[in-house]
Amino acid sequence: MGSQETDSLDIRVRDALTVWKRLDKIDVKILEGLSLLGPRNIALIARHLQLPATSVRFRVQRMLSQSILFLHLNPYHTNMGLKKAIVFAEASPGYENDLLDCLRINDFWIFLCRIYGPYEGCGGIWTIPKENVRDLHSYLQSLRDTGIARDVEVIWSTCFEGIPVRTRWYSNENGSWTFNWDEWVKEMETIEGKLPYTLVEPEDWTIKVDYEDLLIIKELEKYGQVSLPYISKTLEIPLPRVK
């Protein structure tokens, strides 16, 4: 993602905040259906909600156009041979923009932004080939050595687990979301059982994709509802193979 695309995304997120209160209970139900059933089968979501498919499609498109909704694929990077690192870099005074440019050059990042306030610097998420983990550490250390970064913290993580939208979190009367953070923290401390496999540190980061898989994933990352015929035509891969 280049700087222009990043700026465009920032504008869409900002604009979304101005229209968020236009949601109603049906919109929220659709958001819940999308998060539980996925965005690719609108007819299935409509049947699940007992709503006309045309109404669901119209509302989804409206939320997309108003930047309330973003649809994209969230790859399981572990099975692509990639380790995920969350990086916080504090800039030396006067080098804030230089630090951002230096971090952008190392283009294994999937998210990158400036951080403002008491901690002036940058934050981002990198997906690094397992054999290049030391290279990332060396690169970040060089930013400290040259004086561009005052401090850098690297947190290695497993994949992120998405949380489905729930209608019970939305107040139709107030037109706002209500999250019971304190209650959830207490609940987390009492939960027993196994973690989802996506949150468990694997023994190895086996590459289970080939080049064409990656091209298809790239298109789905751009837009989660992109049609398979479009992917086939864009990538010049036969449709049966894309399916």
Side-chain angles (χ1 to χ4, degrees):
M1 183 184 293
S3 59
Q4 289 184 340
E5 292 177 71
T6 305
D7 293 341
S8 175
L9 180 59
D10 290 341
I11 292 171
R12 291 182 65 194
V13 172
R14 183 197 64 199
D15 291 345
L17 297 176
T18 65
V19 298
W20 190 252
K21 288 193 175 183
R22 298 180 190 175
L23 290 175
D24 59 28
K25 62 181 180 180
I26 296 179
D27 291 329
V28 177
K29 284 184 178 180
I30 292 172
L31 290 175
E32 182 179 59
L34 288 167
S35 62
L36 291 172
L37 302 174
R40 298 190 60 79
N41 193 333
I42 296 297
L44 176 63
I45 294 171
R47 288 198 300 271
H48 179 74
L49 300 177
Q50 297 182 336
L51 293 169
T54 52
S55 297
V56 175
R57 287 194 183 91
F58 172 80
R59 286 173 175 266
V60 168
Q61 290 303 317
R62 176 173 55 79
M63 287 188 281
L64 286 169
S65 65
Q66 294 181 344
S67 301
I68 291 174
L69 179 63
F70 300 85
L71 297 176
H72 59 85
L73 182 77
N74 184 22
Y76 183 44
H77 294 102
T78 300
N79 284 347
M80 298 163 67
L82 299 170
K83 299 186 71 172
K84 188 168 289 179
I86 304 168
V87 177
F88 296 99
E90 184 178 5
S92 297
Y95 287 93
E96 292 83 4
N97 292 329
D98 294 322
L99 176 60
L100 181 63
D101 290 338
C102 289
L103 291 172
R104 184 178 285 128
I105 289 172
N106 190 311
D107 58 2
F108 282 102
W109 58 273
I110 58 175
F111 174 80
L112 181 60
C113 69
R114 279 270 281 125
I115 297 175
Y116 299 92
Y119 189 100
E120 283 282 348
C122 303
I125 303 170
W126 272 257
T127 49
I128 303 295
K130 59 181 180 179
E131 63 270 16
N132 296 113
V133 167
R134 290 185 179 179
D135 295 331
L136 177 66
H137 280 289
S138 297
Y139 182 74
L140 295 175
Q141 180 62 46
S142 71
L143 298 180
R144 284 191 290 252
D145 294 341
T146 56
I148 294 174
R150 175 182 288 176
D151 188 30
V152 178
E153 182 180 5
V154 182
I155 303 170
W156 293 98
S157 172
T158 54
C159 284
F160 301 149
E161 186 74 13
I163 300 175
V165 175
R166 297 296 187 179
T167 53
R168 65 176 181 268
W169 298 341
Y170 190 77
S171 170
N172 293 309
E173 296 159 359
N174 300 328
S176 62
W177 297 91
T178 303
F179 299 106
N180 301 317
W181 298 108
D182 294 337
E183 179 184 328
W184 292 349
V185 170
K186 292 178 181 178
E187 184 180 343
M188 287 293 294
E189 294 172 348
T190 60
I191 291 176
E192 297 181 358
K194 294 182 178 180
L195 285 170
Y197 75 94
T198 55
L199 299 182
V200 176
E201 189 80 5
E203 295 181 3
D204 193 12
W205 282 259
T206 307
I207 299 177
K208 298 183 179 180
V209 292
D210 59 23
Y211 182 67
E212 287 186 346
D213 292 334
L214 293 175
L215 292 177
I216 294 170
I217 290 171
K218 172 177 67 70
E219 294 301 321
L220 289 167
E221 279 188 288
K222 292 179 184 177
Y223 182 53
Q225 282 190 323
V226 64
S227 70
L228 298 187
Y230 175 86
I231 293 177
S232 172
K233 182 179 180 180
T234 301
L235 302 180
E236 298 182 349
I237 298 174
L239 181 58
R241 194 185 309 172
V242 172
K243 291 181 178 180

